[in-house]
């Protein structure tokens, strides 16, 4: 063979030898991995099987009647409770209730569940074991609806210690009743309570207590509500008596809520105040512009009615007066009075015009007195005008049968001319308001705003 062919054969043989060794190594490694995995699987399987066999033996679930409480027939079993509030989901004024999600934990000792242990480690189980042993029958008083979360499995945890101490924890969402007082709404604070109590066991069989006092209640720092400010959480406990069954231990989770006012300022108080101020615009409109003043008054009255209806629609139908009702109805009265004010102005104007017409019919000549002076509506006559009327002779006057009527007009004009000198005369201001309809608007421009500002000062000082 040529030298080149021999070289190729040698290289080919070396490649085959290397590949065969690699193949044997891969095969050995794969077999070793399978053996290790099989050994680990068998070990874990054996451990699970061993613990599964020991669970019933250690806890002796089948050896006792767990329908009866621990130490049945003896003293009351103490059951400690602590709660961690996860969230306050909603507060409903209409339904007078609240929804809360919390972790509820119970602590008690059941010697029937004690087991020997060299490491003194506890055993943890899920909700399947809870159905086989005794657990406290705690329920929520005044609860409308509640449920234990079950995603992805039932959120229940049971932890048993070697000496028989048990920790039982659940994640619950509960909707409970809250008696609210809306006397100061929306400037109010509400205190609600979630109450826990044993359903079957009286205080002679089961003693519920807060495990760590006030430290038994913990809350998430991120808890917040859109309409309320959470001021504080605290715990209390007391005995509850039922005439047919006896005394029971009852635990309370109390929390105080302060309502945010800014929303109601924007939605209720500011619009109502603006409507009242808008009704005052009619005092600056000419009294002869009947369509303008009437339409403005009707618009403000209807708008105030809409605001009152909208506020009451979102509130429960309580039989007492709320703070917001006081403000809205007083504002409504101010708006309504502004409409009545123009009605009074218009009525007095009509009455004066009717009197003026009658005077013109009685005194067609007026004996040289200019018509412009007799037709003045504001009743402001100078002293010279009154004296000029008194200085006319009998020949210049109207016939004798009308003398008394003319003298009455003369006296009225004389009294009006001297009214500026007798400011202390009783009824002077009222007389000017009646005789001068412009004065009603003038005084309304001061009385209405001043009274409304005074009302606001009293309102906010009382309810804030």
């Amino acid at each position: 063979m040529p030298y080149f062919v021999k070289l190729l054969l040698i290289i080919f043989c070396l490649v085959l030898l290397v590949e065969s060794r690699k193949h044997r190594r891969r095969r050995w490694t794969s077999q070793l991995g399978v053996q290790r995995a099989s050994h680990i699987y068998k070990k874990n399987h054996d451990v699970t099987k061993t613990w599964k066999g020991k669970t019933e033996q250690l806890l002796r679930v089948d050896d006792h009647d767990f329908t009866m409480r621990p130490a049945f027939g003896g003293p009351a079993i103490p059951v400690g409770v602590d709660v961690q509030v996860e969230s306050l989901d909603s507060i409903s004024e209409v339904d007078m209730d609240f929804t809360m999600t919390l972790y509820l934990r119970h602590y008690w000792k059941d010697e029937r569940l004690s087991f020997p242990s060299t490491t003194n480690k506890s055993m943890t189980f899920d909700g399947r074991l809870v159905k086989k042993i005794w657990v406290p029958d705690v329920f929520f008083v005044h609860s409308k609806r509640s449920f234990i979360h079950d995603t992805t499995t039932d959120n229940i945890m049971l932890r048993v210690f070697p000496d028989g101490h048990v920790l039982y924890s659940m994640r619950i969402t509960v909707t409970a009743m809250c008696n609210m007082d809306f006397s100061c709404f929306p400037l109010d604070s509400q205190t609600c309570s979630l109450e826990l109590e044993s359903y079957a066991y009286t205080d002679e069989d089961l003693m519920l207590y807060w495990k760590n006092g006030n430290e038994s209640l913990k809350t998430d720092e991120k808890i917040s509500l859109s309409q309320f400010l959470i001021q504080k959480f605290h715990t209390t406990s007391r005995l509850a008596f039922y005439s047919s069954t006896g005394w029971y231990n009852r635990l309370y989770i109390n929390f105080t809520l302060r309502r945010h006012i800014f929303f109601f300022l924007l939605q209720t108080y500011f619009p109502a105040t603006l409507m009242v101020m808008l009704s005052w615009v009619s005092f600056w409109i000419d009294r002869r512009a009947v369509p303008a003043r009437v339409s403005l008054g009707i618009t403000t009255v209807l708008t105030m009615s809409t605001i009152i209806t909208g506020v009451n629609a979102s509130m429960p139908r309580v039989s007492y007066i709320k703070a917001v009702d006081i403000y809205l109805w007083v504002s409504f009265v101010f708006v309504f009075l502004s409409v009545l004010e123009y009605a009074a102005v218009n009525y007095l104007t009509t009455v004066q015009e009717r009197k003026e017409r009658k005077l013109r019919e009685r005194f067609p000549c007026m004996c040289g007195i200019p018509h412009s002076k007799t037709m003045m509506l504001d009743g402001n006559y100078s002293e010279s005008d009154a004296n000029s009327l008194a200085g006319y002779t009998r020949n210049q006057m109207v016939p004798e049968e009308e003398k008394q009527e003319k003298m009455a007009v003369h006296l009225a004009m004389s009294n009006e001319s001297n009214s500026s000198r007798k400011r202390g005369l009783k009824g002077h201001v009222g007389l000017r308001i009646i005789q001068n309809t412009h004065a009603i608007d003038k005084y309304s421009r001061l009385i209405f705003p001043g009274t409304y500002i005074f009302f606001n000062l009293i309102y906010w000082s009382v309810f804030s």
Side-chain angles (χ1 to χ4, degrees):
M1 285 185 170
Y3 177 75
F4 180 75
V5 175
K6 291 181 180 180
L7 182 60
L8 289 176
L9 290 175
I10 294 172
I11 293 174
F12 179 73
C13 292
L14 290 174
V15 171
L16 289 177
L17 180 62
V18 171
E19 290 296 328
S20 63
R21 287 184 178 180
K22 287 183 179 179
H23 179 70
R24 285 198 300 268
R25 184 175 297 175
R26 288 198 204 101
R27 187 175 181 183
W28 178 80
T29 304
S30 177
Q31 291 178 354
L32 182 62
V34 171
Q35 290 178 357
R36 288 180 178 177
S38 176
H39 174 71
I40 293 173
Y41 174 76
K42 289 181 179 179
K43 183 177 180 181
N44 290 338
H45 179 72
D46 291 339
V47 171
T48 305
K49 183 177 181 180
T50 302
W51 279 107
K52 183 177 180 181
K54 285 186 177 181
T55 300
E56 297 179 355
Q57 179 181 356
L58 287 176
L59 299 182
R60 302 189 300 275
V61 174
D62 297 330
D63 296 343
H64 301 279
D65 185 5
F66 283 96
T67 59
M68 294 183 289
R69 68 174 179 86
F72 183 79
I77 175 175
V79 177
V81 176
D82 68 30
V83 172
Q84 181 173 348
V85 179
E86 181 181 3
S87 65
L88 270 174
D89 301 322
S90 63
I91 306 290
S92 175
E93 291 89 355
V94 177
D95 299 327
M96 286 195 180
D97 59 22
F98 65 93
T99 302
M100 177 186 294
T101 301
L102 52 90
Y103 296 94
L104 178 61
R105 304 184 184 95
H106 305 81
Y107 303 84
W108 75 93
K109 184 177 182 180
D110 191 348
E111 295 182 353
R112 296 172 296 184
L113 298 177
S114 60
F115 59 92
S117 175
T118 57
T119 60
N120 198 29
K121 291 183 178 180
S122 62
M123 292 190 299
T124 302
F125 307 94
D126 57 16
R128 287 172 287 186
L129 184 62
V130 174
K131 300 178 181 179
K132 299 181 181 180
I133 65 173
W134 181 90
V135 294
D137 59 339
V138 175
F139 78 106
F140 296 101
V141 185
H142 305 309
S143 170
K144 295 183 177 180
R145 52 192 173 272
S146 60
F147 62 92
I148 299 175
H149 290 259
D150 55 0
T151 306
T152 56
T153 59
D154 292 339
N155 296 170
I156 297 176
M157 185 267 290
L158 186 71
R159 183 171 295 169
V160 182
F161 294 85
D163 58 353
H165 281 89
V166 181
L167 166 60
Y168 176 44
S169 177
M170 297 174 290
R171 182 169 177 255
I172 303 175
T173 294
V174 55
T175 300
M177 183 177 63
C178 178
N179 294 322
M180 301 182 184
D181 183 12
F182 298 105
S183 299
C184 298
F185 176 86
L187 306 169
D188 58 334
S189 295
Q190 302 294 341
T191 300
C192 299
S193 298
L194 185 63
E195 306 172 13
L196 295 86
E197 182 182 306
S198 173
Y199 192 84
Y201 297 101
T202 64
D203 61 339
E204 297 179 353
D205 292 321
L206 190 146
M207 183 180 68
L208 279 179
Y209 68 97
W210 290 112
K211 188 174 184 297
N212 298 315
N214 290 330
E215 299 297 328
S216 301
L217 178 61
K218 298 181 180 180
T219 59
D220 193 338
E221 296 179 355
K222 298 180 180 179
I223 293 180
S224 62
L225 294 171
S226 59
Q227 193 177 146
F228 291 92
L229 172 65
I230 302 176
Q231 290 186 323
K232 65 176 180 178
F233 277 90
H234 65 281
T235 60
T236 56
S237 61
R238 66 185 68 172
L239 290 175
F241 177 73
Y242 298 91
S243 58
S244 57
T245 54
W247 293 89
Y248 294 81
N249 293 111
R250 182 177 294 182
L251 305 181
Y252 295 81
I253 302 173
N254 305 310
F255 56 96
T256 303
L257 304 174
R258 177 74 178 179
R259 195 183 304 274
H260 294 297
I261 187 59
F262 189 71
F263 170 81
F264 296 94
L265 288 176
L266 294 178
Q267 299 295 326
T268 304
Y269 287 97
F270 284 166
T273 303
L274 291 178
M275 287 300 104
V276 175
M277 297 174 64
L278 183 61
S279 67
W280 300 340
V281 175
S282 64
F283 303 152
W284 278 266
I285 300 178
D286 188 358
R287 58 190 170 87
R288 298 180 183 85
V290 177
R293 295 189 67 163
V294 171
S295 60
L296 180 61
I298 294 176
T299 301
T300 53
V301 169
L302 294 179
T303 304
M304 284 301 305
S305 301
T306 303
I307 294 175
I308 294 174
T309 304
V311 171
N312 292 329
S314 60
M315 294 296 299
R317 294 177 176 85
V318 295
S319 58
Y320 49 85
I321 298 177
K322 304 181 290 293
V324 68
D325 294 334
I326 296 175
Y327 193 90
L328 291 179
W329 279 105
V330 170
S331 300
F332 182 84
V333 169
F334 271 89
V335 173
F336 185 72
L337 288 178
S338 67
V339 178
L340 294 183
E341 186 270 347
Y342 177 64
V345 170
N346 193 33
Y347 173 76
L348 292 177
T349 302
T350 304
V351 170
Q352 277 193 337
E353 290 177 350
R354 187 181 301 115
K355 289 181 179 180
E356 179 189 347
R357 191 180 305 109
K358 289 182 179 179
L359 288 175
R360 287 200 302 268
E361 291 176 356
R362 290 186 179 183
F363 308 102
C365 178
M366 294 309 294
C367 306
I369 300 176
H371 267 286
S372 60
K373 294 182 180 179
T374 60
M375 294 175 61
M376 291 177 65
L377 296 179
D378 57 358
N380 293 327
Y381 299 95
S382 64
E383 188 174 355
S384 61
D385 295 333
N387 293 333
S388 63
L389 178 62
Y392 286 107
T393 61
R394 181 183 298 269
N395 295 330
Q396 294 172 323
M397 295 295 179
V398 294
E400 182 67 22
E401 58 270 16
E402 298 180 0
K403 179 179 180 180
Q404 294 181 354
E405 288 81 354
K406 290 178 63 179
M407 292 300 296
V409 174
H410 166 65
L411 292 175
M413 294 172 63
S414 299
N415 291 334
E416 181 63 24
S417 64
N418 296 327
S419 61
S420 60
R421 302 177 182 177
K422 301 178 181 179
R423 297 179 181 272
L425 185 62
K426 183 177 179 180
H428 168 63
V429 176
L431 183 62
R432 285 187 60 82
I433 294 177
I434 293 175
Q435 293 184 348
N436 186 357
T437 55
H438 290 289
I440 297 179
D441 286 337
K442 182 177 68 175
Y443 290 126
S444 297
R445 295 169 190 173
L446 300 176
I447 294 174
F448 274 73
T451 307
Y452 193 70
I453 292 173
F454 180 71
F455 161 72
N456 274 271
L457 292 176
I458 296 177
Y459 180 86
W460 293 107
S461 62
V462 170
F463 291 102
S464 295

